[in-house]
């Protein structure tokens, strides 16, 4: 039965949405995966989608899927750019990866309006400011 399936707990893997200022002095936002483990993670799949409401009208973005072959121990990987126009939505990222042949997966959700200037912190692994998923 389903209760008999042991799902390993995701540890030391998280996401960050960072802000960089481009040469036109405009903010560019990107999603990064951070591997804080002392071992690589392999065959990582990330599915991202946004959903929610604006003025009582349901909104949903396309689902994007990304594959990362290896994210090194204590390393990071750029997942995708993200448009600030969808920060009013739930921004969901489903991350699945393998360690020693076992699959791990976790859903990370950045809630509406949490990706904003006042929530930026310094993220040492990326050496930039962003919103770190807790």
């Amino acid at each position: 039965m389903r209760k008999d399936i042991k799902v390993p707990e995701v540890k030391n893997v998280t996401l960050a949405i960072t802000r960089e200022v481009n040469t036109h002095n405009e903010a560019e936002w990107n999603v990064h995966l951070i591997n804080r483990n002392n071992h690589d993670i392999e065959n990582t799949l990330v599915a991202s989608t946004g959903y929610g409401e604006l003025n009582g009208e349901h909104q949903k973005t396309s689902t994007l899927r990304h594959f990362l072959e290896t994210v090194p121990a204590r390393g990071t990987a750029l997942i995708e750019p993200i448009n600030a126009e969808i920060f009013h939505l739930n921004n969901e990222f489903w991350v699945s990866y393998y360690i020693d042949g076992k699959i791990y997966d976790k859903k990370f959700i950045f809630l509406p309006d949490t990706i904003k200037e006042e929530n930026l912190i310094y993220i040492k692994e990326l050496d930039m400011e962003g919103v770190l998923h807790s």
Side-chain angles (χ1 to χ4, degrees), residues 14 28 31 33 36 39 42-43 52 61 65 68 70 76 78 84 91 93 103 107 122-123:
T14 192
E28 291 181 347
V31 182
L33 183 135
R36 293 179 171 158
H39 50 267
E42 304 287 340
N43 300 321
T61 67
R65 292 174 183 82
L68 306 167
T70 301
T76 65
L78 175 65
N91 286 282
F93 300 87
I103 191 167
K107 189 184 305 184
Y122 178 74
I123 302 169

Side-chain angles (χ1 to χ4, degrees), residues 1-37:
M1 297 300 228
R2 191 173 173 153
K3 66 181 183 208
D4 298 326
I5 298 172
K6 294 182 179 161
V7 179
E9 181 183 355
V10 170
K11 293 181 182 176
N12 301 318
V13 173
T14 192
L15 294 179
I17 298 180
T18 60
R19 182 209 54 191
E20 298 177 65
V21 178
N22 66 20
T23 56
H24 302 291
N25 207 28
E26 299 168 332
E28 291 181 347
W29 297 85
N30 291 296
V31 182
H32 299 265
L33 183 135
I34 301 171
N35 178 12
R36 293 179 171 158
N37 289 296

Side-chain angles (χ1 to χ4, degrees), residues 7-124:
V7 179
E9 181 183 355
V10 170
K11 293 181 182 176
N12 301 318
V13 173
T14 192
L15 294 179
I17 298 180
T18 60
R19 182 209 54 191
E20 298 177 65
V21 178
N22 66 20
T23 56
H24 302 291
N25 207 28
E26 299 168 332
E28 291 181 347
W29 297 85
N30 291 296
V31 182
H32 299 265
L33 183 135
I34 301 171
N35 178 12
R36 293 179 171 158
N37 289 296
N38 290 322
H39 50 267
D40 298 348
I41 60 176
E42 304 287 340
N43 300 321
T44 304
L45 294 171
V46 181
S48 63
T49 191
Y51 57 89
E53 287 189 11
L54 181 64
N55 300 324
E57 186 175 319
H58 182 72
Q59 294 184 328
K60 184 171 172 43
T61 67
S62 299
T63 298
L64 302 176
R65 292 174 183 82
H66 306 277
F67 174 74
L68 306 167
E69 191 167 328
T70 301
V71 180
R74 300 281 175 199
T76 65
L78 175 65
I79 303 295
E80 66 185 21
I82 186 169
N83 191 323
E85 292 177 8
I86 64 166
F87 290 169
H88 68 282
L89 300 174
N90 290 294
N91 286 282
E92 176 183 294
F93 300 87
W94 193 302
V95 178
S96 298
Y97 58 89
Y98 287 85
I99 300 173
D100 295 328
K102 283 187 182 175
I103 191 167
Y104 293 73
D105 69 350
K106 183 173 180 175
K107 189 184 305 184
F108 297 89
I109 301 174
F110 290 86
L111 296 175
D113 300 316
T114 57
I115 308 165
K116 54 187 175 182
E117 297 285 326
E118 52 265 28
N119 291 339
L120 296 178
I121 60 168
Y122 178 74
I123 302 169
K124 66 180 179 187

